[in-house]
Amino acid sequence: MRVRADRSVCIGSGLCVLRLPEMFDQSDDDGIVLVLRSNPDPDQEEAVLTAIAACPSGALRVDR
Ligand code: SF4
């Protein structure tokens, strides 16, 4: 699993950071998502998919 973020689509809601702060952060400059870790551990994959589904802008996606 590889997590990607389209920073041109992100609206900076911060939901992904609240759910998985070890994987996501927001830029200090504009609040837009930063992917800290694009390859989650296997035991994190379900939580990652839940966070992606909860993203209000559709900025996050996963490649397998
Ligand atoms: S949940 Fe989606 S819109 Fe909100 S900060 Fe994360 S990527 Fe951006």
Short mmCIF file of all heavy atoms in Angstrom, two decimals:
data_model
loop_
_atom_site.label_atom_id
_atom_site.label_comp_id
_atom_site.label_asym_id
_atom_site.label_seq_id
_atom_site.Cartn_x
_atom_site.Cartn_y
_atom_site.Cartn_z
N MET A 1 0.85 -1.19 0.00
CA MET A 1 0.00 0.00 0.00
C MET A 1 0.89 1.25 0.00
O MET A 1 1.86 1.32 0.75
CB MET A 1 -0.89 -0.01 1.25
CG MET A 1 -1.69 1.26 1.42
SD MET A 1 -2.62 1.28 2.98
CE MET A 1 -4.02 0.30 2.55
N ARG A 2 0.52 2.20 -0.85
CA ARG A 2 1.25 3.46 -0.90
C ARG A 2 0.23 4.61 -0.85
O ARG A 2 -0.68 4.65 -1.68
CB ARG A 2 2.09 3.55 -2.17
CG ARG A 2 2.99 4.77 -2.22
CD ARG A 2 4.00 4.65 -3.35
NE ARG A 2 4.96 5.73 -3.32
CZ ARG A 2 6.06 5.73 -2.58
NH1 ARG A 2 6.33 4.69 -1.83
NH2 ARG A 2 6.88 6.75 -2.58
N VAL A 3 0.39 5.51 0.09
CA VAL A 3 -0.56 6.59 0.29
C VAL A 3 -0.06 7.84 -0.43
O VAL A 3 1.12 8.20 -0.34
CB VAL A 3 -0.73 6.89 1.79
CG1 VAL A 3 -1.69 8.05 2.00
CG2 VAL A 3 -1.20 5.65 2.53
N ARG A 4 -0.97 8.47 -1.14
CA ARG A 4 -0.63 9.70 -1.86
C ARG A 4 -1.64 10.78 -1.53
O ARG A 4 -2.80 10.47 -1.25
CB ARG A 4 -0.63 9.46 -3.38
CG ARG A 4 0.38 8.42 -3.83
CD ARG A 4 0.35 8.27 -5.34
NE ARG A 4 1.15 7.16 -5.78
CZ ARG A 4 2.46 7.18 -5.93
NH1 ARG A 4 3.12 8.28 -5.69
NH2 ARG A 4 3.11 6.11 -6.34
N ALA A 5 -1.20 12.02 -1.59
CA ALA A 5 -2.10 13.15 -1.35
C ALA A 5 -1.98 14.14 -2.50
O ALA A 5 -0.87 14.47 -2.93
CB ALA A 5 -1.74 13.83 -0.04
N ASP A 6 -3.12 14.59 -2.98
CA ASP A 6 -3.14 15.66 -3.98
C ASP A 6 -3.30 16.97 -3.22
O ASP A 6 -4.39 17.32 -2.77
CB ASP A 6 -4.31 15.43 -4.95
CG ASP A 6 -4.31 16.46 -6.06
OD1 ASP A 6 -3.67 17.53 -5.91
OD2 ASP A 6 -4.97 16.21 -7.09
N ARG A 7 -2.19 17.67 -3.07
CA ARG A 7 -2.19 18.89 -2.26
C ARG A 7 -2.97 20.02 -2.91
O ARG A 7 -3.33 20.99 -2.26
CB ARG A 7 -0.76 19.32 -1.94
CG ARG A 7 0.02 18.22 -1.21
CD ARG A 7 1.37 18.69 -0.69
NE ARG A 7 1.23 19.50 0.51
CZ ARG A 7 1.51 20.79 0.55
NH1 ARG A 7 1.94 21.42 -0.51
NH2 ARG A 7 1.34 21.46 1.68
N SER A 8 -3.25 19.89 -4.21
CA SER A 8 -4.05 20.93 -4.88
C SER A 8 -5.54 20.75 -4.58
O SER A 8 -6.34 21.65 -4.85
CB SER A 8 -3.81 20.88 -6.39
OG SER A 8 -4.38 19.72 -6.96
N VAL A 9 -5.91 19.61 -4.02
CA VAL A 9 -7.31 19.31 -3.72
C VAL A 9 -7.61 19.45 -2.22
O VAL A 9 -8.70 19.83 -1.83
CB VAL A 9 -7.65 17.88 -4.20
CG1 VAL A 9 -9.04 17.46 -3.75
CG2 VAL A 9 -7.52 17.78 -5.72
N CYS A 10 -6.63 19.17 -1.37
CA CYS A 10 -6.79 19.23 0.09
C CYS A 10 -7.33 20.61 0.50
O CYS A 10 -6.88 21.64 0.00
CB CYS A 10 -5.44 18.98 0.75
SG CYS A 10 -5.41 19.24 2.54
N ILE A 11 -8.29 20.58 1.45
CA ILE A 11 -8.84 21.84 1.97
C ILE A 11 -8.36 22.13 3.40
O ILE A 11 -8.86 23.03 4.05
CB ILE A 11 -10.39 21.82 1.92
CG1 ILE A 11 -10.95 20.65 2.74
CG2 ILE A 11 -10.87 21.77 0.48
CD1 ILE A 11 -12.45 20.68 2.91
N GLY A 12 -7.42 21.31 3.88
CA GLY A 12 -6.80 21.58 5.17
C GLY A 12 -7.69 21.35 6.37
O GLY A 12 -7.53 21.99 7.41
N SER A 13 -8.61 20.41 6.27
CA SER A 13 -9.53 20.16 7.39
C SER A 13 -8.81 19.54 8.59
O SER A 13 -9.25 19.69 9.73
CB SER A 13 -10.64 19.21 6.95
OG SER A 13 -10.13 17.91 6.74
N GLY A 14 -7.74 18.82 8.34
CA GLY A 14 -6.95 18.22 9.42
C GLY A 14 -7.48 16.90 9.94
O GLY A 14 -6.93 16.36 10.90
N LEU A 15 -8.52 16.37 9.34
CA LEU A 15 -9.08 15.12 9.85
C LEU A 15 -8.08 13.97 9.77
O LEU A 15 -8.01 13.14 10.67
CB LEU A 15 -10.36 14.76 9.08
CG LEU A 15 -11.56 15.67 9.35
CD1 LEU A 15 -12.73 15.25 8.47
CD2 LEU A 15 -11.95 15.61 10.81
N CYS A 16 -7.33 13.91 8.71
CA CYS A 16 -6.36 12.82 8.57
C CYS A 16 -5.26 12.94 9.63
O CYS A 16 -4.78 11.92 10.14
CB CYS A 16 -5.76 12.81 7.17
SG CYS A 16 -4.93 14.34 6.69
N VAL A 17 -4.90 14.14 9.98
CA VAL A 17 -3.86 14.36 11.01
C VAL A 17 -4.39 13.95 12.38
O VAL A 17 -3.67 13.35 13.18
CB VAL A 17 -3.42 15.84 11.01
CG1 VAL A 17 -2.32 16.08 12.04
CG2 VAL A 17 -2.96 16.25 9.62
N LEU A 18 -5.65 14.25 12.65
CA LEU A 18 -6.25 13.83 13.91
C LEU A 18 -6.29 12.31 14.03
O LEU A 18 -6.04 11.75 15.09
CB LEU A 18 -7.67 14.39 14.04
CG LEU A 18 -7.78 15.89 14.31
CD1 LEU A 18 -9.23 16.33 14.24
CD2 LEU A 18 -7.19 16.23 15.66
N ARG A 19 -6.59 11.66 12.92
CA ARG A 19 -6.72 10.19 12.95
C ARG A 19 -5.36 9.50 12.97
O ARG A 19 -5.18 8.52 13.69
CB ARG A 19 -7.51 9.72 11.74
CG ARG A 19 -9.00 10.01 11.82
CD ARG A 19 -9.69 9.61 10.53
NE ARG A 19 -11.11 9.82 10.58
CZ ARG A 19 -12.01 8.91 10.97
NH1 ARG A 19 -11.61 7.72 11.34
NH2 ARG A 19 -13.28 9.19 10.98
N LEU A 20 -4.45 9.97 12.18
CA LEU A 20 -3.16 9.28 12.02
C LEU A 20 -2.00 10.30 12.02
O LEU A 20 -1.38 10.55 10.98
CB LEU A 20 -3.15 8.48 10.71
CG LEU A 20 -4.07 7.25 10.68
CD1 LEU A 20 -4.18 6.72 9.26
CD2 LEU A 20 -3.53 6.17 11.60
N PRO A 21 -1.71 10.86 13.19
CA PRO A 21 -0.66 11.88 13.24
C PRO A 21 0.72 11.33 12.92
O PRO A 21 1.63 12.10 12.60
CB PRO A 21 -0.75 12.40 14.68
CG PRO A 21 -1.40 11.30 15.44
CD PRO A 21 -2.35 10.63 14.49
N GLU A 22 0.89 10.02 13.01
CA GLU A 22 2.19 9.45 12.65
C GLU A 22 2.36 9.36 11.13
O GLU A 22 3.48 9.18 10.65
CB GLU A 22 2.35 8.06 13.28
CG GLU A 22 1.42 6.99 12.75
CD GLU A 22 0.05 6.96 13.43
OE1 GLU A 22 -0.41 8.01 13.91
OE2 GLU A 22 -0.55 5.88 13.44
N MET A 23 1.28 9.53 10.39
CA MET A 23 1.37 9.44 8.93
C MET A 23 1.15 10.77 8.21
O MET A 23 1.66 10.97 7.12
CB MET A 23 0.35 8.43 8.41
CG MET A 23 0.70 7.02 8.78
SD MET A 23 -0.13 5.85 7.72
CE MET A 23 0.44 6.35 6.12
N PHE A 24 0.34 11.64 8.85
CA PHE A 24 -0.02 12.89 8.17
C PHE A 24 0.29 14.09 9.05
O PHE A 24 0.21 14.02 10.27
CB PHE A 24 -1.52 12.92 7.84
CG PHE A 24 -1.97 11.80 6.94
CD1 PHE A 24 -2.69 10.74 7.47
CD2 PHE A 24 -1.68 11.81 5.60
CE1 PHE A 24 -3.12 9.70 6.65
CE2 PHE A 24 -2.10 10.77 4.76
CZ PHE A 24 -2.82 9.71 5.29
N ASP A 25 0.61 15.20 8.41
CA ASP A 25 0.77 16.48 9.09
C ASP A 25 0.22 17.55 8.15
O ASP A 25 -0.18 17.24 7.02
CB ASP A 25 2.25 16.73 9.41
CG ASP A 25 2.45 17.77 10.51
OD1 ASP A 25 1.44 18.35 10.98
OD2 ASP A 25 3.60 18.00 10.88
N GLN A 26 0.18 18.77 8.66
CA GLN A 26 -0.26 19.89 7.83
C GLN A 26 0.86 20.91 7.78
O GLN A 26 1.53 21.17 8.78
CB GLN A 26 -1.52 20.54 8.43
CG GLN A 26 -2.76 19.68 8.27
CD GLN A 26 -3.93 20.26 9.03
OE1 GLN A 26 -4.10 19.96 10.21
NE2 GLN A 26 -4.73 21.07 8.36
N SER A 27 1.01 21.52 6.62
CA SER A 27 2.04 22.53 6.44
C SER A 27 1.81 23.71 7.37
O SER A 27 0.67 24.17 7.52
CB SER A 27 2.02 23.01 4.98
OG SER A 27 2.77 24.20 4.85
N ASP A 28 2.87 24.20 7.99
CA ASP A 28 2.77 25.40 8.82
C ASP A 28 2.43 26.62 7.98
O ASP A 28 1.89 27.61 8.48
CB ASP A 28 4.10 25.65 9.55
CG ASP A 28 4.35 24.62 10.65
OD1 ASP A 28 3.38 24.00 11.13
OD2 ASP A 28 5.53 24.42 11.00
N ASP A 29 2.73 26.57 6.70
CA ASP A 29 2.50 27.73 5.83
C ASP A 29 1.05 27.87 5.41
O ASP A 29 0.48 28.94 5.48
CB ASP A 29 3.39 27.63 4.58
CG ASP A 29 4.86 27.72 4.93
OD1 ASP A 29 5.19 28.40 5.93
OD2 ASP A 29 5.67 27.13 4.21
N ASP A 30 0.46 26.75 4.94
CA ASP A 30 -0.89 26.88 4.36
C ASP A 30 -1.89 25.86 4.89
O ASP A 30 -3.05 25.85 4.47
CB ASP A 30 -0.82 26.78 2.82
CG ASP A 30 -0.13 25.50 2.35
OD1 ASP A 30 0.06 24.57 3.17
OD2 ASP A 30 0.21 25.43 1.15
N GLY A 31 -1.46 25.01 5.83
CA GLY A 31 -2.39 24.05 6.41
C GLY A 31 -2.71 22.86 5.54
O GLY A 31 -3.54 22.02 5.90
N ILE A 32 -2.07 22.76 4.40
CA ILE A 32 -2.33 21.68 3.47
C ILE A 32 -1.56 20.42 3.90
O ILE A 32 -0.47 20.50 4.44
CB ILE A 32 -1.96 22.11 2.03
CG1 ILE A 32 -2.78 23.33 1.62
CG2 ILE A 32 -2.17 20.97 1.05
CD1 ILE A 32 -4.28 23.15 1.69
N VAL A 33 -2.17 19.29 3.60
CA VAL A 33 -1.66 18.02 4.09
C VAL A 33 -0.22 17.73 3.62
O VAL A 33 0.17 18.09 2.50
CB VAL A 33 -2.60 16.87 3.65
CG1 VAL A 33 -2.57 16.67 2.15
CG2 VAL A 33 -2.27 15.56 4.39
N LEU A 34 0.51 17.09 4.51
CA LEU A 34 1.83 16.55 4.20
C LEU A 34 1.79 15.06 4.55
O LEU A 34 1.34 14.71 5.64
CB LEU A 34 2.91 17.23 5.03
CG LEU A 34 3.06 18.74 4.88
CD1 LEU A 34 3.98 19.29 5.97
CD2 LEU A 34 3.61 19.08 3.50
N VAL A 35 2.24 14.22 3.67
CA VAL A 35 2.31 12.78 3.95
C VAL A 35 3.68 12.50 4.57
O VAL A 35 4.71 12.67 3.91
CB VAL A 35 2.10 11.94 2.68
CG1 VAL A 35 2.23 10.45 3.02
CG2 VAL A 35 0.73 12.22 2.07
N LEU A 36 3.68 12.13 5.84
CA LEU A 36 4.94 11.86 6.54
C LEU A 36 5.46 10.47 6.22
O LEU A 36 6.67 10.26 6.13
CB LEU A 36 4.74 11.99 8.05
CG LEU A 36 4.22 13.33 8.56
CD1 LEU A 36 4.02 13.27 10.07
CD2 LEU A 36 5.17 14.45 8.18
N ARG A 37 4.53 9.53 6.09
CA ARG A 37 4.90 8.14 5.78
C ARG A 37 3.94 7.65 4.71
O ARG A 37 2.74 7.58 4.94
CB ARG A 37 4.76 7.25 7.01
CG ARG A 37 5.85 7.44 8.04
CD ARG A 37 5.72 6.37 9.12
NE ARG A 37 5.74 5.04 8.53
CZ ARG A 37 5.10 4.00 9.04
NH1 ARG A 37 4.36 4.14 10.12
NH2 ARG A 37 5.17 2.83 8.46
N SER A 38 4.44 7.29 3.57
CA SER A 38 3.56 6.84 2.49
C SER A 38 3.35 5.34 2.50
O SER A 38 2.44 4.84 1.83
CB SER A 38 4.12 7.28 1.13
OG SER A 38 5.39 6.74 0.94
N ASN A 39 4.16 4.62 3.26
CA ASN A 39 4.03 3.16 3.32
C ASN A 39 3.65 2.72 4.73
O ASN A 39 4.53 2.45 5.55
CB ASN A 39 5.34 2.48 2.91
CG ASN A 39 5.68 2.71 1.47
OD1 ASN A 39 6.05 3.83 1.09
ND2 ASN A 39 5.55 1.71 0.65
N PRO A 40 2.35 2.66 5.03
CA PRO A 40 1.95 2.25 6.38
C PRO A 40 2.28 0.79 6.65
O PRO A 40 2.36 -0.03 5.73
CB PRO A 40 0.43 2.47 6.38
CG PRO A 40 0.04 2.39 4.95
CD PRO A 40 1.21 2.92 4.17
N ASP A 41 2.44 0.51 7.94
CA ASP A 41 2.62 -0.88 8.34
C ASP A 41 1.33 -1.64 8.03
O ASP A 41 0.24 -1.07 8.04
CB ASP A 41 2.92 -0.96 9.84
CG ASP A 41 4.24 -0.31 10.20
OD1 ASP A 41 5.13 -0.27 9.32
OD2 ASP A 41 4.35 0.17 11.34
N PRO A 42 1.43 -2.94 7.79
CA PRO A 42 0.23 -3.73 7.47
C PRO A 42 -0.87 -3.59 8.52
O PRO A 42 -2.06 -3.54 8.17
CB PRO A 42 0.77 -5.16 7.40
CG PRO A 42 2.18 -5.00 6.98
CD PRO A 42 2.66 -3.75 7.66
N ASP A 43 -0.50 -3.47 9.78
CA ASP A 43 -1.54 -3.36 10.80
C ASP A 43 -2.17 -1.97 10.87
O ASP A 43 -3.11 -1.74 11.63
CB ASP A 43 -1.01 -3.78 12.17
CG ASP A 43 0.10 -2.89 12.68
OD1 ASP A 43 0.55 -2.01 11.93
OD2 ASP A 43 0.52 -3.07 13.83
N GLN A 44 -1.67 -1.03 10.07
CA GLN A 44 -2.25 0.31 10.00
C GLN A 44 -3.15 0.48 8.78
O GLN A 44 -3.83 1.50 8.65
CB GLN A 44 -1.15 1.37 9.89
CG GLN A 44 -0.41 1.68 11.16
CD GLN A 44 0.55 2.82 10.94
OE1 GLN A 44 1.38 2.76 10.04
NE2 GLN A 44 0.44 3.86 11.74
N GLU A 45 -3.16 -0.51 7.89
CA GLU A 45 -3.82 -0.30 6.61
C GLU A 45 -5.31 -0.01 6.75
O GLU A 45 -5.85 0.85 6.04
CB GLU A 45 -3.58 -1.50 5.69
CG GLU A 45 -2.13 -1.56 5.23
CD GLU A 45 -1.89 -2.61 4.17
OE1 GLU A 45 -2.86 -3.31 3.78
OE2 GLU A 45 -0.74 -2.72 3.71
N GLU A 46 -5.98 -0.69 7.66
CA GLU A 46 -7.41 -0.46 7.82
C GLU A 46 -7.65 0.97 8.32
O GLU A 46 -8.57 1.66 7.84
CB GLU A 46 -8.02 -1.47 8.79
CG GLU A 46 -9.53 -1.39 8.83
CD GLU A 46 -10.13 -2.57 9.59
OE1 GLU A 46 -9.51 -3.64 9.60
OE2 GLU A 46 -11.22 -2.39 10.14
N ALA A 47 -6.85 1.44 9.25
CA ALA A 47 -7.00 2.80 9.76
C ALA A 47 -6.72 3.82 8.66
O ALA A 47 -7.36 4.87 8.58
CB ALA A 47 -6.06 3.02 10.94
N VAL A 48 -5.76 3.51 7.80
CA VAL A 48 -5.45 4.42 6.69
C VAL A 48 -6.64 4.50 5.73
O VAL A 48 -7.04 5.59 5.30
CB VAL A 48 -4.19 3.94 5.94
CG1 VAL A 48 -4.01 4.71 4.64
CG2 VAL A 48 -2.97 4.11 6.83
N LEU A 49 -7.23 3.37 5.42
CA LEU A 49 -8.38 3.36 4.50
C LEU A 49 -9.55 4.12 5.12
O LEU A 49 -10.28 4.83 4.41
CB LEU A 49 -8.77 1.93 4.16
CG LEU A 49 -7.74 1.16 3.33
CD1 LEU A 49 -8.19 -0.28 3.16
CD2 LEU A 49 -7.51 1.82 1.98
N THR A 50 -9.74 3.99 6.42
CA THR A 50 -10.80 4.73 7.10
C THR A 50 -10.54 6.24 7.03
O THR A 50 -11.45 7.03 6.77
CB THR A 50 -10.91 4.27 8.56
OG1 THR A 50 -11.22 2.87 8.58
CG2 THR A 50 -12.00 5.04 9.29
N ALA A 51 -9.29 6.63 7.24
CA ALA A 51 -8.94 8.06 7.16
C ALA A 51 -9.14 8.59 5.76
O ALA A 51 -9.62 9.72 5.57
CB ALA A 51 -7.50 8.25 7.62
N ILE A 52 -8.80 7.80 4.77
CA ILE A 52 -8.96 8.24 3.38
C ILE A 52 -10.45 8.41 3.07
O ILE A 52 -10.85 9.39 2.43
CB ILE A 52 -8.30 7.23 2.43
CG1 ILE A 52 -6.77 7.34 2.56
CG2 ILE A 52 -8.75 7.45 0.99
CD1 ILE A 52 -6.01 6.29 1.79
N ALA A 53 -11.25 7.48 3.54
CA ALA A 53 -12.69 7.57 3.28
C ALA A 53 -13.31 8.79 3.97
O ALA A 53 -14.31 9.33 3.49
CB ALA A 53 -13.37 6.29 3.75
N ALA A 54 -12.71 9.22 5.08
CA ALA A 54 -13.27 10.34 5.84
C ALA A 54 -12.78 11.69 5.33
O ALA A 54 -13.33 12.73 5.73
CB ALA A 54 -12.88 10.20 7.32
N CYS A 55 -11.81 11.70 4.46
CA CYS A 55 -11.29 12.98 3.93
C CYS A 55 -12.40 13.69 3.15
O CYS A 55 -12.95 13.14 2.20
CB CYS A 55 -10.09 12.72 3.02
SG CYS A 55 -9.54 14.21 2.14
N PRO A 56 -12.74 14.92 3.55
CA PRO A 56 -13.88 15.60 2.92
C PRO A 56 -13.60 16.09 1.50
O PRO A 56 -14.54 16.39 0.76
CB PRO A 56 -14.15 16.78 3.86
CG PRO A 56 -12.84 17.02 4.53
CD PRO A 56 -12.18 15.68 4.67
N SER A 57 -12.34 16.15 1.12
CA SER A 57 -12.04 16.70 -0.21
C SER A 57 -11.67 15.64 -1.24
O SER A 57 -11.57 15.95 -2.43
CB SER A 57 -10.88 17.70 -0.10
OG SER A 57 -9.68 17.01 0.21
N GLY A 58 -11.44 14.42 -0.79
CA GLY A 58 -11.01 13.39 -1.73
C GLY A 58 -9.55 13.55 -2.14
O GLY A 58 -9.14 13.04 -3.19
N ALA A 59 -8.77 14.22 -1.31
CA ALA A 59 -7.37 14.47 -1.66
C ALA A 59 -6.47 13.25 -1.48
O ALA A 59 -5.39 13.20 -2.06
CB ALA A 59 -6.82 15.61 -0.80
N LEU A 60 -6.92 12.30 -0.66
CA LEU A 60 -6.07 11.15 -0.35
C LEU A 60 -6.46 9.94 -1.19
O LEU A 60 -7.63 9.69 -1.43
CB LEU A 60 -6.20 10.80 1.14
CG LEU A 60 -5.83 11.91 2.12
CD1 LEU A 60 -6.11 11.47 3.54
CD2 LEU A 60 -4.37 12.32 1.94
N ARG A 61 -5.46 9.20 -1.59
CA ARG A 61 -5.74 7.94 -2.28
C ARG A 61 -4.62 6.96 -1.99
O ARG A 61 -3.56 7.33 -1.47
CB ARG A 61 -5.92 8.14 -3.78
CG ARG A 61 -4.66 8.56 -4.51
CD ARG A 61 -4.99 8.81 -5.98
NE ARG A 61 -3.85 9.33 -6.69
CZ ARG A 61 -2.94 8.58 -7.30
NH1 ARG A 61 -3.04 7.26 -7.26
NH2 ARG A 61 -1.92 9.13 -7.93
N VAL A 62 -4.88 5.73 -2.33
CA VAL A 62 -3.91 4.69 -2.06
C VAL A 62 -3.67 3.88 -3.33
O VAL A 62 -4.60 3.59 -4.08
CB VAL A 62 -4.38 3.81 -0.88
CG1 VAL A 62 -5.67 3.09 -1.21
CG2 VAL A 62 -3.32 2.85 -0.44
N ASP A 63 -2.42 3.57 -3.57
CA ASP A 63 -2.04 2.67 -4.66
C ASP A 63 -1.56 1.37 -4.04
O ASP A 63 -0.89 1.37 -3.01
CB ASP A 63 -0.91 3.27 -5.50
CG ASP A 63 -1.32 4.55 -6.19
OD1 ASP A 63 -2.52 4.71 -6.48
OD2 ASP A 63 -0.44 5.39 -6.42
N ARG A 64 -1.89 0.28 -4.69
CA ARG A 64 -1.45 -1.02 -4.18
C ARG A 64 -0.47 -1.65 -5.14
O ARG A 64 -0.43 -1.35 -6.27
CB ARG A 64 -2.65 -1.94 -3.98
CG ARG A 64 -3.54 -1.47 -2.83
CD ARG A 64 -4.65 -2.44 -2.60
NE ARG A 64 -5.55 -1.97 -1.56
CZ ARG A 64 -5.38 -2.23 -0.25
NH1 ARG A 64 -4.37 -2.94 0.14
NH2 ARG A 64 -6.23 -1.77 0.63
S1 SF4 B 1 -8.49 14.96 5.66
FE1 SF4 B 1 -8.28 15.45 3.45
S2 SF4 B 1 -8.83 17.64 3.31
FE2 SF4 B 1 -8.39 17.20 5.47
S3 SF4 B 1 -6.20 17.73 5.74
FE3 SF4 B 1 -6.33 15.51 5.28
S4 SF4 B 1 -6.07 15.41 3.04
FE4 SF4 B 1 -6.61 17.52 3.52
#
